[in-house]
Amino acid sequence: RVSKYEAAIAVLRVACDLEPDNSDARLNLGVAYGETGDFAAADESLLKASSLGSMRPAVFRNLGVVRLKQDDASAAVDCFRMALNLGRQDIASWCGLGEALTTVQNYQEAEEAYQTALQISPDHLLALAGLSMVFVHQGKLEEARSILDELLIRSPDNAEALSTLGLVFSIENEDEKAIECYKKAMASAPDSDLAYFRLSSLYKKQGEWLQAADILLKAMCFRPKDLG
């Protein structure tokens, strides 16, 4: 079965063949390649879009997304900063920067990135979810809980928020509430691998090794590279 991204790649490659200087087609082709995990092809297409004069935030933002998927958060930070140099109001780039800075454990600047996104759009769900995770890393659990409660009122099935709330409960040793949150996250987004990993870790902490292993095997279906 051909995925929607593979179908898009087929169409966009034809478009690029017909119009080699079409920067929009190159940009979208790079995004599609990134979604399929072909990062070398994504790089080539996005950099080609840039060389064609497409100096837009979207080009460098999507390069940042690719770098995050390649587990190169430091390079992602640089890409998102370049995107923001071209467009300070690009909320997706601020959120991407926040995620990359969180990954490199620069929590203060990550908080500032998410707060900037929320200044532009106070109800932005991705920025709220990211900021709550930063607060968890900083040990500000009450602040995190406050954001998550607000977020889940607006979006009750938000898997990222449910998973983060589960982590808060786990840290506070409220394991049953944590398990409930993780299971809700998994039901809402069956490919929410982070919820699987966190639930597996919680089961291991409780000594429930068979349940932990079962959950971990399900998680590996979404992140096969971690099997190595």
Side-chain angles (χ1 to χ4, degrees), residues 172-225:
E172 294 176 336
N173 294 315
E174 295 189 64
D175 290 354
E176 294 307 311
K177 290 183 179 179
I179 290 171
E180 182 181 357
C181 286
Y182 293 145
K183 287 184 175 180
K184 284 182 178 178
M186 291 156 56
S188 175
D191 60 347
S192 178
D193 58 341
L194 190 57
Y196 285 84
F197 283 112
R198 287 175 177 167
L199 180 56
S200 177
S201 296
L202 183 52
Y203 279 141
K204 283 192 290 185
K205 186 181 79 171
Q206 293 179 328
E208 300 288 348
W209 295 99
L210 289 178
Q211 286 181 285
D214 180 60
I215 293 294
L216 191 58
L217 284 173
K218 291 177 181 177
M220 292 303 181
C221 293
F222 305 110
R223 297 185 64 178
K225 69 178 183 178

Side-chain angles (χ1 to χ4, degrees), residues 63-116:
L63 278 170
V65 171
V66 169
R67 296 293 176 267
L68 278 175
K69 290 180 177 180
Q70 292 175 305
D71 296 323
D72 190 352
S74 294
V77 168
D78 294 336
C79 291
F80 289 123
R81 290 197 191 283
M82 290 175 70
L84 289 165
N85 285 338
L86 297 171
R88 303 296 291 178
Q89 298 298 305
D90 189 59
I91 296 176
S93 291
W94 283 113
C95 289
L97 179 60
E99 181 181 354
L101 288 166
T102 301
T103 303
V104 299
Q105 300 182 10
N106 187 340
Y107 302 128
Q108 182 58 47
E109 290 191 25
E111 179 181 344
E112 292 169 3
Y114 285 124
Q115 293 284 17
T116 301

Side-chain angles (χ1 to χ4, degrees), residues 114-151:
Y114 285 124
Q115 293 284 17
T116 301
L118 290 168
Q119 288 173 12
I120 299 169
S121 179
D123 297 329
H124 198 275
L125 297 182
L126 185 59
L128 287 167
L131 182 59
S132 71
M133 192 66 234
V134 171
F135 283 151
V136 171
H137 283 297
Q138 292 174 322
K140 302 176 181 177
L141 299 184
E142 287 302 317
E143 290 91 332
R145 181 87 69 89
S146 176
I147 290 175
L148 292 166
D149 287 345
E150 177 185 351
L151 200 161

